Amino acid sequence: MAKLYVVGIGPGNYENMTIRADRALQSCDTIIGYHVYVDLVKPWYPDKEFLTTPMTRETQRCQMALDEAMKGKNVAMVCSGDSVVYGMAALIYELRGENIQPEIEVIPGLTAACSGGALVGAPLTHDFAVISLSDRLTPWEKIEARLTAAAQSDLSMVLYNPASHGRPDHLRHACEILGRVLPGDRLCAVARNIGREGESWLTCTLEQLPEQEVDMFCTVFIGNAMTQSIGGKMVTPRGYRHG
């Protein structure tokens, strides 16, 4: 019986892919995904059939995966990072509806909050919020409310999709919203191209954050009141030393 795997491939390098994800990709006939993510795994699975769609064609991509699986193929839909966190798993389930075929297996991966957090230090040791700044599917007013609530709750934050060609000022707007609640010297970090060529990171303050050059390949970290710089790394203590 054919199966559709929804696979989180992590940040993109083979070393940060799970064994379970690797086994699924090895066992499948066809790998489907956004072309950037498919290109990341192609070198490791050269004997597979590859099908891709451009950005914003998520529904087409997931329906293609379901259709290919219904032809009797074992199919893998690859997602950058995790298959559930901003991934395609929910849409796959939506499109299949109440049907029981094809069988779906969701395989988690290392999301940017984890891989980027390890790169910049240890910023998420305490409670945190993950918020996307993309308003393509979520109204900006709702994003603004979530940013405000996270700041008022003193949560560390991870901001996905901080800027793109179509919305270059979203991080600056987010900083303005956070600045109404948080101090300007709140420690922040930017991780770029995590696990890929050109990987880099930096720390700065919330006041300096709008000046940083960011794009869709960046993940932004905002510390909470306990976050500090230790040895140049962004660290949020949980309080173990004083427990």
Side-chain angles (χ1 to χ4, degrees):
M1 187 179 298
K3 179 180 285 190
L4 173 52
Y5 298 97
V6 190
V7 183
I9 62 171
N13 56 339
Y14 186 76
E15 292 77 10
N16 279 316
M17 189 185 300
T18 67
I19 294 172
R20 186 178 167 197
D22 177 51
R23 286 176 177 166
L25 294 178
Q26 287 187 30
S27 68
C28 73
D29 304 302
T30 303
I31 296 175
I32 297 176
Y34 174 44
H35 67 91
V36 173
Y37 306 150
V38 167
D39 286 345
L40 291 172
V41 301
K42 261 185 180 181
W44 305 104
Y45 311 97
D47 60 331
K48 306 302 178 182
E49 175 188 28
F50 295 96
L51 301 174
T52 66
T53 64
M55 187 177 284
T56 76
R57 300 290 179 86
E58 292 87 357
T59 300
Q60 176 187 340
R61 190 183 313 152
C62 290
Q63 188 60 57
M64 181 192 301
L66 289 163
D67 292 344
E68 292 298 308
M70 289 302 292
K71 294 177 184 177
K73 299 178 182 178
N74 287 321
V75 177
M77 163 65 70
V78 293
C79 310
S80 177
D82 179 68
S83 50
V84 175
V85 180
Y86 302 123
M88 294 292 101
L91 182 53
I92 289 284
Y93 279 119
E94 286 182 88
L95 291 172
R96 192 189 67 166
E98 297 303 317
N99 297 318
I100 61 172
Q101 295 296 330
E103 181 184 354
I104 295 170
E105 182 176 340
V106 177
I107 298 178
L110 196 60
T111 188
C114 299
S115 55
L119 182 64
V120 306
L124 306 179
T125 310
H126 217 305
D127 300 338
F128 64 94
V130 177
I131 301 172
S132 171
L133 298 189
S134 172
D135 61 352
R136 188 169 71 85
L137 300 174
T138 305
W140 181 255
E141 293 75 19
K142 184 169 288 189
I143 296 171
E144 180 173 351
R146 289 170 177 171
L147 289 167
T148 301
Q152 290 173 338
S153 301
D154 193 31
L155 292 171
S156 296
M157 282 171 263
V158 188
L159 306 183
Y160 283 51
N161 307 314
S164 67
H165 291 299
R167 41 183 182 78
D169 297 323
H170 276 202
L171 180 60
R172 180 174 59 82
H173 294 325
C175 290
E176 291 172 358
I177 294 163
L178 296 174
R180 298 169 192 164
V181 180
L182 304 179
D185 63 354
R186 180 59 54 88
L187 188 61
C188 303
V190 179
R192 179 186 299 276
N193 293 326
I194 304 162
R196 305 175 189 175
E197 184 178 354
E199 179 182 80
S200 64
W201 65 278
L202 59 85
T203 58
C204 62
T205 64
L206 179 60
E207 190 173 50
Q208 297 167 333
L209 186 56
E211 305 166 10
Q212 308 308 316
E213 185 176 340
V214 297
D215 56 27
M216 290 289 285
F217 297 104
C218 293
T219 305
V220 175
F221 295 82
I222 315 287
N224 70 11
M226 298 174 64
T227 305
Q228 55 193 275
S229 178
I230 302 178
K233 294 286 190 174
M234 182 181 187
V235 178
T236 302
R238 180 117 189 245
Y240 293 116
R241 291 181 61 197
H242 308 291

